[in-house]
Short mmCIF file of all heavy atoms in Angstrom, two decimals:
data_model
loop_
_atom_site.label_atom_id
_atom_site.label_comp_id
_atom_site.label_asym_id
_atom_site.label_seq_id
_atom_site.Cartn_x
_atom_site.Cartn_y
_atom_site.Cartn_z
N MET A 1 -20.48 13.69 27.76
CA MET A 1 -19.69 13.95 26.62
C MET A 1 -20.32 13.47 25.33
O MET A 1 -19.71 13.62 24.27
CB MET A 1 -18.31 13.44 26.85
CG MET A 1 -17.58 14.19 28.01
SD MET A 1 -15.87 13.45 28.27
CE MET A 1 -15.08 13.68 26.69
N ASN A 2 -21.50 12.78 25.54
CA ASN A 2 -22.20 12.29 24.37
C ASN A 2 -21.36 11.33 23.45
O ASN A 2 -21.50 11.30 22.24
CB ASN A 2 -22.71 13.39 23.51
CG ASN A 2 -23.67 14.36 24.20
OD1 ASN A 2 -24.49 13.79 24.92
ND2 ASN A 2 -23.71 15.58 23.98
N ILE A 3 -20.61 10.43 24.13
CA ILE A 3 -19.83 9.53 23.35
C ILE A 3 -20.38 8.04 23.44
O ILE A 3 -19.88 7.13 22.83
CB ILE A 3 -18.34 9.50 23.78
CG1 ILE A 3 -18.22 9.24 25.29
CG2 ILE A 3 -17.68 10.85 23.44
CD1 ILE A 3 -16.74 9.09 25.72
N CYS A 4 -21.47 7.88 24.26
CA CYS A 4 -22.14 6.54 24.35
C CYS A 4 -23.50 6.68 24.64
O CYS A 4 -24.02 7.88 24.98
CB CYS A 4 -21.40 5.68 25.39
SG CYS A 4 -21.71 6.06 27.06
N ASP A 5 -24.37 5.70 24.61
CA ASP A 5 -25.81 5.73 24.91
C ASP A 5 -26.14 5.65 26.30
O ASP A 5 -27.31 5.66 26.70
CB ASP A 5 -26.54 4.65 24.11
CG ASP A 5 -26.42 4.93 22.59
OD1 ASP A 5 -26.30 6.09 22.15
OD2 ASP A 5 -26.42 4.00 21.91
N LEU A 6 -25.13 5.45 27.20
CA LEU A 6 -25.48 5.27 28.61
C LEU A 6 -25.76 6.58 29.26
O LEU A 6 -25.31 7.73 28.95
CB LEU A 6 -24.20 4.65 29.32
CG LEU A 6 -23.87 3.27 28.94
CD1 LEU A 6 -22.62 2.75 29.70
CD2 LEU A 6 -25.04 2.29 29.25
N ASP A 7 -26.53 6.60 30.38
CA ASP A 7 -26.88 7.81 31.01
C ASP A 7 -26.72 7.46 32.63
O ASP A 7 -26.55 6.35 33.02
CB ASP A 7 -28.41 8.19 30.83
CG ASP A 7 -28.67 9.68 31.10
OD1 ASP A 7 -28.13 10.20 32.10
OD2 ASP A 7 -29.44 10.18 30.47
N TYR A 8 -26.86 8.55 33.39
CA TYR A 8 -26.67 8.31 34.89
C TYR A 8 -27.69 7.26 35.34
O TYR A 8 -27.37 6.59 36.25
CB TYR A 8 -26.86 9.66 35.64
CG TYR A 8 -25.72 10.59 35.38
CD1 TYR A 8 -25.86 11.70 34.70
CD2 TYR A 8 -24.45 10.32 35.90
CE1 TYR A 8 -24.78 12.61 34.44
CE2 TYR A 8 -23.35 11.11 35.71
CZ TYR A 8 -23.48 12.32 35.02
OH TYR A 8 -22.48 13.17 34.77
N GLU A 9 -28.89 7.26 34.80
CA GLU A 9 -29.88 6.33 35.25
C GLU A 9 -29.52 4.81 35.07
O GLU A 9 -30.20 3.95 35.54
CB GLU A 9 -31.28 6.60 34.59
CG GLU A 9 -31.94 7.87 35.12
CD GLU A 9 -31.31 9.20 34.47
OE1 GLU A 9 -30.79 9.11 33.37
OE2 GLU A 9 -31.28 10.17 35.09
N ASP A 10 -28.51 4.58 34.19
CA ASP A 10 -28.15 3.28 33.88
C ASP A 10 -27.15 2.69 35.00
O ASP A 10 -26.71 1.53 34.84
CB ASP A 10 -27.38 3.26 32.55
CG ASP A 10 -28.35 3.50 31.35
OD1 ASP A 10 -29.45 3.04 31.41
OD2 ASP A 10 -27.92 4.40 30.47
N PHE A 11 -26.87 3.44 36.02
CA PHE A 11 -25.89 3.05 37.01
C PHE A 11 -26.52 3.15 38.42
O PHE A 11 -27.43 3.93 38.63
CB PHE A 11 -24.64 3.92 36.97
CG PHE A 11 -23.92 3.75 35.67
CD1 PHE A 11 -24.14 4.72 34.60
CD2 PHE A 11 -22.98 2.79 35.46
CE1 PHE A 11 -23.52 4.64 33.47
CE2 PHE A 11 -22.28 2.73 34.21
CZ PHE A 11 -22.55 3.63 33.24
N THR A 12 -25.99 2.30 39.30
CA THR A 12 -26.39 2.43 40.67
C THR A 12 -25.19 2.67 41.59
O THR A 12 -24.22 1.98 41.42
CB THR A 12 -27.02 1.09 41.21
OG1 THR A 12 -28.16 0.86 40.36
CG2 THR A 12 -27.47 1.13 42.69
N VAL A 13 -25.27 3.76 42.32
CA VAL A 13 -24.12 4.09 43.23
C VAL A 13 -24.07 3.09 44.38
O VAL A 13 -25.09 2.90 45.04
CB VAL A 13 -24.17 5.54 43.73
CG1 VAL A 13 -23.10 5.84 44.70
CG2 VAL A 13 -24.13 6.51 42.62
N ILE A 14 -22.96 2.40 44.53
CA ILE A 14 -22.86 1.53 45.73
C ILE A 14 -22.06 2.11 46.85
O ILE A 14 -22.18 1.80 48.00
CB ILE A 14 -22.38 0.10 45.27
CG1 ILE A 14 -20.97 0.20 44.66
CG2 ILE A 14 -23.37 -0.54 44.45
CD1 ILE A 14 -20.34 -1.14 44.39
N SER A 15 -21.05 2.94 46.50
CA SER A 15 -20.25 3.65 47.53
C SER A 15 -19.42 4.74 46.96
O SER A 15 -18.82 4.50 45.92
CB SER A 15 -19.40 2.60 48.24
OG SER A 15 -18.62 3.30 49.22
N PRO A 16 -19.49 5.94 47.52
CA PRO A 16 -18.58 6.91 47.00
C PRO A 16 -17.14 6.56 47.49
O PRO A 16 -16.89 6.11 48.54
CB PRO A 16 -19.07 8.28 47.74
CG PRO A 16 -19.88 7.77 48.89
CD PRO A 16 -20.36 6.36 48.52
N LEU A 17 -16.19 6.71 46.56
CA LEU A 17 -14.85 6.26 46.88
C LEU A 17 -13.88 7.47 47.11
O LEU A 17 -12.85 7.33 47.81
CB LEU A 17 -14.22 5.51 45.72
CG LEU A 17 -14.98 4.17 45.46
CD1 LEU A 17 -14.34 3.49 44.28
CD2 LEU A 17 -14.87 3.26 46.67
N VAL A 18 -14.19 8.67 46.55
CA VAL A 18 -13.26 9.67 46.58
C VAL A 18 -14.06 11.03 46.80
O VAL A 18 -15.12 11.28 46.24
CB VAL A 18 -12.43 9.84 45.26
CG1 VAL A 18 -11.64 11.12 45.25
CG2 VAL A 18 -11.71 8.63 44.97
N GLY A 19 -13.54 11.90 47.70
CA GLY A 19 -14.14 13.20 47.87
C GLY A 19 -13.18 14.11 47.09
O GLY A 19 -11.98 14.07 47.06
N ASP A 20 -13.83 14.91 46.15
CA ASP A 20 -13.04 15.73 45.25
C ASP A 20 -13.56 17.20 45.28
O ASP A 20 -14.17 17.69 44.37
CB ASP A 20 -13.14 15.17 43.82
CG ASP A 20 -12.23 15.84 42.91
OD1 ASP A 20 -11.23 16.52 43.34
OD2 ASP A 20 -12.35 15.72 41.68
N PRO A 21 -13.27 17.96 46.42
CA PRO A 21 -13.80 19.27 46.51
C PRO A 21 -13.22 20.19 45.51
O PRO A 21 -12.04 19.98 45.13
CB PRO A 21 -13.48 19.69 47.94
CG PRO A 21 -12.37 18.78 48.39
CD PRO A 21 -12.53 17.51 47.61
N LYS A 22 -13.98 21.10 45.05
CA LYS A 22 -13.43 22.15 44.13
C LYS A 22 -13.56 23.48 44.72
O LYS A 22 -14.48 23.79 45.51
CB LYS A 22 -14.28 22.05 42.76
CG LYS A 22 -14.02 20.75 42.10
CD LYS A 22 -12.71 20.65 41.45
CE LYS A 22 -12.53 19.37 40.75
NZ LYS A 22 -11.33 18.71 41.04
N VAL A 23 -12.78 24.46 44.14
CA VAL A 23 -12.94 25.88 44.53
C VAL A 23 -13.07 26.65 43.24
O VAL A 23 -12.45 26.46 42.25
CB VAL A 23 -11.69 26.27 45.31
CG1 VAL A 23 -11.72 27.81 45.63
CG2 VAL A 23 -11.42 25.46 46.53
N LEU A 24 -14.14 27.51 43.26
CA LEU A 24 -14.36 28.40 42.13
C LEU A 24 -13.72 29.76 42.45
O LEU A 24 -13.97 30.34 43.44
CB LEU A 24 -15.88 28.55 41.93
CG LEU A 24 -16.28 29.50 40.78
CD1 LEU A 24 -15.89 28.91 39.46
CD2 LEU A 24 -17.82 29.63 40.88
N VAL A 25 -12.75 30.13 41.62
CA VAL A 25 -12.01 31.40 41.85
C VAL A 25 -12.15 32.27 40.57
O VAL A 25 -12.28 31.74 39.47
CB VAL A 25 -10.59 31.19 42.24
CG1 VAL A 25 -10.48 30.44 43.56
CG2 VAL A 25 -9.86 30.44 41.12
N VAL A 26 -12.13 33.53 40.78
CA VAL A 26 -11.99 34.52 39.69
C VAL A 26 -10.92 35.56 40.02
O VAL A 26 -10.51 35.62 41.14
CB VAL A 26 -13.38 35.29 39.46
CG1 VAL A 26 -14.42 34.26 39.11
CG2 VAL A 26 -13.75 35.98 40.73
N GLY A 27 -10.50 36.22 38.99
CA GLY A 27 -9.36 37.26 39.20
C GLY A 27 -9.85 38.31 40.12
O GLY A 27 -11.04 38.61 40.20
N LYS A 28 -8.96 38.93 40.79
CA LYS A 28 -9.30 40.07 41.74
C LYS A 28 -10.05 41.14 41.06
O LYS A 28 -10.89 41.76 41.73
CB LYS A 28 -8.01 40.62 42.41
CG LYS A 28 -8.23 41.54 43.50
CD LYS A 28 -6.95 41.80 44.34
CE LYS A 28 -5.71 42.16 43.57
NZ LYS A 28 -4.64 42.65 44.44
N ASP A 29 -9.81 41.42 39.85
CA ASP A 29 -10.44 42.48 39.13
C ASP A 29 -11.75 41.95 38.33
O ASP A 29 -12.24 42.67 37.50
CB ASP A 29 -9.53 43.15 38.19
CG ASP A 29 -8.93 42.22 37.13
OD1 ASP A 29 -9.07 41.03 37.32
OD2 ASP A 29 -8.37 42.73 36.15
N SER A 30 -12.14 40.81 38.58
CA SER A 30 -13.34 40.21 37.94
C SER A 30 -14.58 40.93 38.26
O SER A 30 -14.82 41.46 39.33
CB SER A 30 -13.49 38.77 38.34
OG SER A 30 -14.66 38.21 37.85
N LYS A 31 -15.58 40.90 37.33
CA LYS A 31 -16.86 41.49 37.55
C LYS A 31 -17.81 40.68 38.43
O LYS A 31 -18.87 41.08 38.80
CB LYS A 31 -17.55 41.93 36.24
CG LYS A 31 -17.89 40.73 35.33
CD LYS A 31 -18.45 41.18 34.04
CE LYS A 31 -18.79 40.03 33.18
NZ LYS A 31 -19.44 40.47 31.86
N TYR A 32 -17.35 39.39 38.65
CA TYR A 32 -18.22 38.50 39.43
C TYR A 32 -17.86 38.55 40.94
O TYR A 32 -16.72 38.44 41.27
CB TYR A 32 -18.05 37.02 38.91
CG TYR A 32 -18.18 36.92 37.51
CD1 TYR A 32 -17.11 36.44 36.70
CD2 TYR A 32 -19.33 37.23 36.86
CE1 TYR A 32 -17.18 36.31 35.26
CE2 TYR A 32 -19.45 37.04 35.43
CZ TYR A 32 -18.43 36.63 34.64
OH TYR A 32 -18.58 36.44 33.37
N ASN A 33 -18.91 38.76 41.76
CA ASN A 33 -18.69 38.82 43.15
C ASN A 33 -19.48 37.67 43.78
O ASN A 33 -19.26 37.31 44.96
CB ASN A 33 -19.20 40.16 43.75
CG ASN A 33 -18.28 41.28 43.33
OD1 ASN A 33 -17.05 41.18 43.61
ND2 ASN A 33 -18.90 42.25 42.74
N THR A 34 -20.39 37.01 43.11
CA THR A 34 -21.13 35.87 43.62
C THR A 34 -21.30 34.84 42.51
O THR A 34 -21.23 35.13 41.24
CB THR A 34 -22.60 36.36 44.04
OG1 THR A 34 -23.33 36.72 42.91
CG2 THR A 34 -22.49 37.51 45.09
N LEU A 35 -21.68 33.69 42.89
CA LEU A 35 -22.00 32.53 42.00
C LEU A 35 -23.17 32.93 41.07
O LEU A 35 -23.24 32.73 39.91
CB LEU A 35 -22.19 31.26 42.70
CG LEU A 35 -22.56 30.01 41.83
CD1 LEU A 35 -21.46 29.71 40.86
CD2 LEU A 35 -22.74 28.77 42.65
N GLU A 36 -24.10 33.54 41.73
CA GLU A 36 -25.30 34.00 40.92
C GLU A 36 -25.00 35.00 39.87
O GLU A 36 -25.53 34.76 38.75
CB GLU A 36 -26.32 34.67 41.91
CG GLU A 36 -27.60 35.05 41.22
CD GLU A 36 -28.68 35.59 42.20
OE1 GLU A 36 -28.29 36.06 43.28
OE2 GLU A 36 -29.82 35.53 41.84
N GLU A 37 -24.14 35.84 40.12
CA GLU A 37 -23.67 36.71 39.05
C GLU A 37 -23.01 36.04 37.89
O GLU A 37 -23.20 36.34 36.71
CB GLU A 37 -22.67 37.88 39.54
CG GLU A 37 -23.36 38.90 40.54
CD GLU A 37 -22.37 39.83 41.17
OE1 GLU A 37 -21.10 39.65 40.86
OE2 GLU A 37 -22.74 40.70 41.87
N LEU A 38 -22.22 35.06 38.22
CA LEU A 38 -21.55 34.30 37.23
C LEU A 38 -22.54 33.47 36.35
O LEU A 38 -22.52 33.53 35.13
CB LEU A 38 -20.48 33.30 37.82
CG LEU A 38 -19.95 32.31 36.90
CD1 LEU A 38 -19.07 33.00 35.81
CD2 LEU A 38 -18.91 31.39 37.71
N LEU A 39 -23.50 32.86 37.11
CA LEU A 39 -24.59 32.06 36.37
C LEU A 39 -25.37 32.90 35.51
O LEU A 39 -25.68 32.55 34.37
CB LEU A 39 -25.35 31.26 37.35
CG LEU A 39 -24.71 30.14 38.14
CD1 LEU A 39 -25.61 29.48 39.18
CD2 LEU A 39 -24.10 29.08 37.25
N ASP A 40 -25.71 34.15 35.94
CA ASP A 40 -26.51 35.09 35.18
C ASP A 40 -25.76 35.49 33.91
O ASP A 40 -26.40 35.58 32.86
CB ASP A 40 -26.93 36.36 36.01
CG ASP A 40 -27.88 36.10 37.02
OD1 ASP A 40 -28.51 34.95 36.98
OD2 ASP A 40 -28.11 36.91 37.93
N ASP A 41 -24.50 35.69 34.04
CA ASP A 41 -23.66 36.09 32.88
C ASP A 41 -23.55 34.92 31.85
O ASP A 41 -23.57 35.15 30.68
CB ASP A 41 -22.24 36.58 33.28
CG ASP A 41 -21.60 37.43 32.25
OD1 ASP A 41 -22.28 38.11 31.49
OD2 ASP A 41 -20.35 37.29 32.07
N ILE A 42 -23.41 33.73 32.37
CA ILE A 42 -23.37 32.55 31.45
C ILE A 42 -24.74 32.40 30.70
O ILE A 42 -24.67 32.16 29.50
CB ILE A 42 -23.09 31.20 32.26
CG1 ILE A 42 -21.75 31.29 32.87
CG2 ILE A 42 -23.25 30.02 31.38
CD1 ILE A 42 -21.41 30.16 33.92
N LYS A 43 -25.83 32.65 31.34
CA LYS A 43 -27.16 32.65 30.77
C LYS A 43 -27.23 33.71 29.72
O LYS A 43 -27.72 33.43 28.62
CB LYS A 43 -28.27 32.88 31.75
CG LYS A 43 -28.61 31.70 32.65
CD LYS A 43 -29.67 32.07 33.58
CE LYS A 43 -29.81 31.08 34.69
NZ LYS A 43 -30.84 31.41 35.65
N ALA A 44 -26.71 34.89 30.06
CA ALA A 44 -26.96 36.07 29.16
C ALA A 44 -26.03 35.98 27.93
O ALA A 44 -26.30 36.52 26.87
CB ALA A 44 -26.70 37.30 29.90
N ASN A 45 -24.91 35.27 28.08
CA ASN A 45 -23.85 35.26 26.99
C ASN A 45 -23.39 33.88 26.72
O ASN A 45 -22.24 33.43 27.04
CB ASN A 45 -22.66 36.06 27.48
CG ASN A 45 -23.01 37.48 27.80
OD1 ASN A 45 -23.31 38.23 26.78
ND2 ASN A 45 -22.94 37.97 28.98
N PRO A 46 -24.32 33.00 26.16
CA PRO A 46 -23.93 31.61 25.89
C PRO A 46 -22.72 31.49 25.09
O PRO A 46 -22.58 32.12 24.05
CB PRO A 46 -25.15 30.97 25.23
CG PRO A 46 -26.11 32.08 25.09
CD PRO A 46 -25.63 33.28 25.71
N GLY A 47 -21.71 30.68 25.47
CA GLY A 47 -20.52 30.42 24.76
C GLY A 47 -19.53 31.41 24.89
O GLY A 47 -18.39 31.28 24.37
N LYS A 48 -19.69 32.46 25.67
CA LYS A 48 -18.69 33.55 25.84
C LYS A 48 -17.87 33.46 27.15
O LYS A 48 -16.72 33.92 27.24
CB LYS A 48 -19.40 34.91 25.79
CG LYS A 48 -20.26 35.15 24.60
CD LYS A 48 -19.37 35.31 23.35
CE LYS A 48 -20.19 35.66 22.17
NZ LYS A 48 -19.44 35.78 21.01
N VAL A 49 -18.45 32.81 28.21
CA VAL A 49 -17.73 32.71 29.43
C VAL A 49 -16.85 31.49 29.40
O VAL A 49 -17.34 30.38 29.05
CB VAL A 49 -18.66 32.68 30.67
CG1 VAL A 49 -17.97 32.41 31.95
CG2 VAL A 49 -19.50 33.90 30.72
N THR A 50 -15.56 31.58 29.73
CA THR A 50 -14.60 30.49 29.59
C THR A 50 -14.19 30.03 30.96
O THR A 50 -14.19 30.87 31.95
CB THR A 50 -13.52 30.80 28.73
OG1 THR A 50 -12.77 31.90 29.23
CG2 THR A 50 -13.92 31.13 27.27
N MET A 51 -13.56 28.79 31.00
CA MET A 51 -12.98 28.31 32.30
C MET A 51 -11.89 27.41 31.88
O MET A 51 -11.70 27.01 30.70
CB MET A 51 -13.96 27.56 33.06
CG MET A 51 -14.61 26.30 32.47
SD MET A 51 -15.58 25.24 33.57
CE MET A 51 -14.37 24.39 34.41
N SER A 52 -11.02 27.06 32.80
CA SER A 52 -9.91 26.09 32.62
C SER A 52 -10.20 24.84 33.45
O SER A 52 -10.94 24.91 34.54
CB SER A 52 -8.58 26.73 32.98
OG SER A 52 -8.50 27.00 34.36
N HIS A 53 -9.72 23.66 33.07
CA HIS A 53 -9.82 22.46 33.78
C HIS A 53 -8.76 21.51 33.30
O HIS A 53 -8.00 21.86 32.39
CB HIS A 53 -11.25 21.85 33.65
CG HIS A 53 -11.68 21.76 32.27
ND1 HIS A 53 -11.19 20.67 31.47
CD2 HIS A 53 -12.52 22.41 31.44
CE1 HIS A 53 -11.84 20.77 30.28
NE2 HIS A 53 -12.67 21.77 30.23
N SER A 54 -8.69 20.36 33.95
CA SER A 54 -7.61 19.50 33.62
C SER A 54 -7.80 18.67 32.27
O SER A 54 -6.74 18.16 31.79
CB SER A 54 -7.39 18.42 34.75
OG SER A 54 -8.76 17.62 34.83
N GLY A 55 -8.92 18.61 31.75
CA GLY A 55 -9.19 17.97 30.48
C GLY A 55 -10.49 17.32 30.41
O GLY A 55 -11.18 17.14 31.34
N PRO A 56 -10.89 17.04 29.16
CA PRO A 56 -12.16 16.31 29.02
C PRO A 56 -12.38 15.06 29.88
O PRO A 56 -11.52 14.25 29.90
CB PRO A 56 -12.21 16.04 27.49
CG PRO A 56 -11.27 16.90 26.84
CD PRO A 56 -10.15 17.14 27.94
N GLY A 57 -13.49 15.05 30.55
CA GLY A 57 -13.80 13.88 31.35
C GLY A 57 -13.28 13.98 32.82
O GLY A 57 -13.70 13.26 33.62
N GLY A 58 -12.39 14.90 33.02
CA GLY A 58 -11.85 15.11 34.33
C GLY A 58 -12.91 15.73 35.30
O GLY A 58 -13.86 16.25 34.86
N SER A 59 -12.65 15.70 36.59
CA SER A 59 -13.57 16.24 37.54
C SER A 59 -13.88 17.72 37.32
O SER A 59 -15.01 18.18 37.45
CB SER A 59 -13.15 15.88 38.94
OG SER A 59 -11.95 16.61 39.32
N GLY A 60 -12.83 18.52 37.03
CA GLY A 60 -13.01 19.97 36.71
C GLY A 60 -13.89 20.16 35.54
O GLY A 60 -14.79 21.01 35.53
N HIS A 61 -13.78 19.41 34.51
CA HIS A 61 -14.56 19.44 33.37
C HIS A 61 -16.08 19.15 33.64
O HIS A 61 -16.97 19.90 33.25
CB HIS A 61 -14.07 18.49 32.25
CG HIS A 61 -15.01 18.39 31.03
ND1 HIS A 61 -15.47 17.17 30.66
CD2 HIS A 61 -15.31 19.36 30.19
CE1 HIS A 61 -16.21 17.41 29.50
NE2 HIS A 61 -16.02 18.72 29.29
N ASN A 62 -16.24 18.13 34.45
CA ASN A 62 -17.61 17.67 34.88
C ASN A 62 -18.30 18.85 35.68
O ASN A 62 -19.49 19.09 35.58
CB ASN A 62 -17.59 16.41 35.59
CG ASN A 62 -17.23 15.27 34.68
OD1 ASN A 62 -17.49 15.22 33.50
ND2 ASN A 62 -16.64 14.15 35.17
N GLN A 63 -17.47 19.43 36.59
CA GLN A 63 -18.08 20.49 37.43
C GLN A 63 -18.45 21.70 36.56
O GLN A 63 -19.45 22.39 36.72
CB GLN A 63 -17.16 20.99 38.52
CG GLN A 63 -17.30 20.18 39.78
CD GLN A 63 -16.42 19.03 39.93
OE1 GLN A 63 -15.32 18.98 39.34
NE2 GLN A 63 -16.73 17.98 40.74
N GLY A 64 -17.70 21.95 35.47
CA GLY A 64 -17.96 22.94 34.51
C GLY A 64 -19.30 22.69 33.77
O GLY A 64 -20.07 23.61 33.48
N LEU A 65 -19.55 21.48 33.47
CA LEU A 65 -20.79 21.04 32.82
C LEU A 65 -21.88 21.24 33.78
O LEU A 65 -23.04 21.66 33.35
CB LEU A 65 -20.71 19.49 32.38
CG LEU A 65 -19.69 19.22 31.28
CD1 LEU A 65 -19.63 17.84 30.95
CD2 LEU A 65 -20.07 19.99 30.00
N VAL A 66 -21.74 21.02 35.03
CA VAL A 66 -22.75 21.22 36.04
C VAL A 66 -23.13 22.68 36.11
O VAL A 66 -24.31 23.13 36.09
CB VAL A 66 -22.37 20.70 37.51
CG1 VAL A 66 -23.34 21.23 38.55
CG2 VAL A 66 -22.26 19.18 37.50
N LEU A 67 -22.08 23.56 36.09
CA LEU A 67 -22.27 25.04 36.06
C LEU A 67 -23.07 25.49 34.88
O LEU A 67 -24.02 26.24 34.92
CB LEU A 67 -21.02 25.76 36.10
CG LEU A 67 -20.34 25.94 37.47
CD1 LEU A 67 -19.03 26.65 37.29
CD2 LEU A 67 -21.21 26.79 38.43
N LYS A 68 -22.71 24.81 33.69
CA LYS A 68 -23.37 25.18 32.50
C LYS A 68 -24.81 24.81 32.59
O LYS A 68 -25.72 25.54 32.19
CB LYS A 68 -22.68 24.44 31.33
CG LYS A 68 -23.39 24.71 29.96
CD LYS A 68 -22.58 24.01 28.87
CE LYS A 68 -23.26 24.29 27.50
NZ LYS A 68 -22.54 23.61 26.50
N SER A 69 -25.14 23.60 33.08
CA SER A 69 -26.53 23.14 33.24
C SER A 69 -27.30 24.02 34.23
O SER A 69 -28.53 24.29 33.99
CB SER A 69 -26.61 21.61 33.58
OG SER A 69 -26.23 21.51 35.00
N LEU A 70 -26.60 24.49 35.34
CA LEU A 70 -27.29 25.43 36.26
C LEU A 70 -27.71 26.65 35.54
O LEU A 70 -28.70 27.32 35.85
CB LEU A 70 -26.46 25.60 37.45
CG LEU A 70 -26.28 24.53 38.47
CD1 LEU A 70 -25.25 24.83 39.47
CD2 LEU A 70 -27.61 24.10 39.13
N ALA A 71 -26.82 27.16 34.74
CA ALA A 71 -27.01 28.45 34.02
C ALA A 71 -28.12 28.36 32.97
O ALA A 71 -28.67 29.41 32.58
CB ALA A 71 -25.77 28.91 33.39
N THR A 72 -28.50 27.19 32.53
CA THR A 72 -29.56 27.05 31.55
C THR A 72 -30.93 26.63 32.17
O THR A 72 -31.88 26.44 31.38
CB THR A 72 -29.14 25.99 30.39
OG1 THR A 72 -28.92 24.82 31.05
CG2 THR A 72 -27.89 26.50 29.64
N MET A 73 -30.92 26.55 33.48
CA MET A 73 -32.21 26.13 34.09
C MET A 73 -33.15 27.26 34.23
O MET A 73 -32.73 28.42 34.32
CB MET A 73 -31.93 25.53 35.45
CG MET A 73 -31.15 24.16 35.42
SD MET A 73 -30.72 23.55 37.01
CE MET A 73 -32.27 22.80 37.44
#
């Protein structure tokens, strides 16, 4: 979220505490049939594809940031 100077490399994982699986869903009439199609569309249309999540810093928000980074690779 760019609110401090710390990065992932500044921490050491000692133990995972929570499993937080996520499900990616789209509407029945969506043009996306695969994750690859979604990522391709995010790449082709930066800032145009939207998603919902629980709020900034929440796990859904973080997974959205991961999707965004995958689409820009």
Side-chain angles (χ1 to χ4, degrees):
M1 294 177 56
N2 296 324
I3 58 174
C4 71
D5 294 331
L6 296 174
D7 200 329
Y8 290 111
E9 289 80 29
D10 295 314
F11 299 91
T12 301
V13 175
I14 58 173
S15 177
L17 298 177
V18 176
D20 190 16
K22 296 289 181 229
V23 176
L24 179 64
V25 297
V26 296
K28 187 166 51 171
D29 59 346
S30 173
K31 64 182 178 178
Y32 309 118
N33 292 303
T34 66
L35 178 58
E36 183 177 23
E37 289 175 357
L38 174 61
L39 293 175
D40 288 345
D41 199 34
I42 294 170
K43 284 181 194 178
N45 301 290
K48 302 290 182 184
V49 178
T50 60
M51 64 171 279
S52 64
H53 54 76
S54 60
S59 61
H61 175 239
N62 291 328
Q63 272 94 21
L65 294 174
V66 170
L67 278 177
K68 181 179 178 182
S69 70
L70 289 173
T72 59
M73 295 176 79

